[in-house]
Amino acid sequence: MSHPLSDRINSLPVSATLAMAAKARELKSQGKDIIGLSLGEPDFNTPDFIKDAAINAIHENYNSYSPVDGYLELKEAICVKFKRDNNLTYSPNQIVVSTGAKQSIANVAQVLLNKGDEVLLPAPYWVSYSAIATLSEATFVEIPSSIDTDFKITPAQLEAAITPKTKMIFFNSPNNPSGTIYSEAEYRALAKVLEKHPQIFILSDEIYEHVNYETKPFSFAAIENMFERTITVNGLAKAFAMTGWRVGYIGAPEWIAKACTKMQGQVTSGTNCIAQRAAITAVLAPVEKIQYMVDEFKTRRDIVIKLLREIEGFKVNVPEGAFYVFPDISAFFGKTLKGSKIENANDFSLYILEHANVATVTGDAFGAPNCIRISYAASEIQIREAIKRIKEALG
């Protein structure tokens, strides 16, 4: 039976990461021992010093509606963080706090994009970017890359993808799903291309900023002539293990920030007041206070890479940040494994779920059809067992 839903919602895909997580939960409820390596969520608890700040806010009776764009004290703290970590100078009227970085990105797309505009998405890209562009009635254009280039695009590729309809480009470094980090030199080379196209705005998603191992990420807005065209997005979910607190924010030209506040005021209004008070403590904390999580992620990354390289058919590079590996598994395409024909990454992910009881995410959802995403935001015991099962299922 069909229902009279809008074309808008019918045009949207279901989030692949959430769909795989739901499938894994369903199988678990049936008694299957599923190891979930599909969600991008730290397996740490929120640090106690942040929880204490939230408890204090409750006792201080923060329970009323908050300002649509966030408490002034939090916006001031975010300005301090931007200067300290990114050498970016923002004022509070250029900051908008939202209910997660996903809402921050959606706000920006809604206030800048019109029907027929094009949004460039260097692939692989986070699954929600394309849906957010579609919701804004824009067209997304993928710029492909591969594991051979560490999932980075070149200036020549960027130039070739630009048309008179191009309005925005989304960058994400460290990247979900690949863990790739663009260097300052690489970003500056891409900026040289964008200098010739002043109509294009840049959304720089830096949510994994503090989860880096060898290379400190560089903010695109720190490029002198890109600052007035760049919207910097960040939040607390990944580095501070605060996914459920739902706090994201932007630093942007004031006119864009005002437009995002106007949009947000008609959708959700201000972000949860207790989460905001805790966020003040989080963003002002020295990065060293969360280094223990980053160190553990690096240890797990090294284990995952070593074990996956022992499986014939897996092509693996070394991600420099985030908490994912994104192996190329196209060597299995066209093969039949235990009666199952593997035609693509989706088939491979489902095969691994069925025969190894391990949940991953197909690369199709990220614009990279030869790959799968494996999250190592899980215990070392779970990681070792999961890859052991995968190896046995493919043997």
Side-chain angles (χ1 to χ4, degrees), residues 147 304-306 308-309 314-319 325-328:
I147 199 167
V304 171
I305 291 170
K306 178 180 181 298
L308 288 180
R309 283 178 170 170
F314 272 71
K315 189 174 183 180
V316 184
N317 70 332
V318 180
V325 289
F326 201 55
D328 184 315

Side-chain angles (χ1 to χ4, degrees), residues 176-191:
N176 173 11
S178 70
T180 289
I181 296 178
Y182 280 89
S183 69
E184 178 179 350
E186 289 165 337
Y187 260 173
R188 288 189 179 276
L190 294 170

Side-chain angles (χ1 to χ4, degrees), residues 44-56 240-242 245 278 281-282 289-290 292-293:
F44 295 96
N45 291 322
T46 302
D48 287 342
F49 74 94
I50 299 172
K51 291 190 284 188
D52 289 342
I55 292 167
N56 289 338
F240 294 91
M242 294 175 68
W245 296 66
T281 295
K289 295 198 79 167
I290 57 170
Y292 67 95
M293 289 189 269

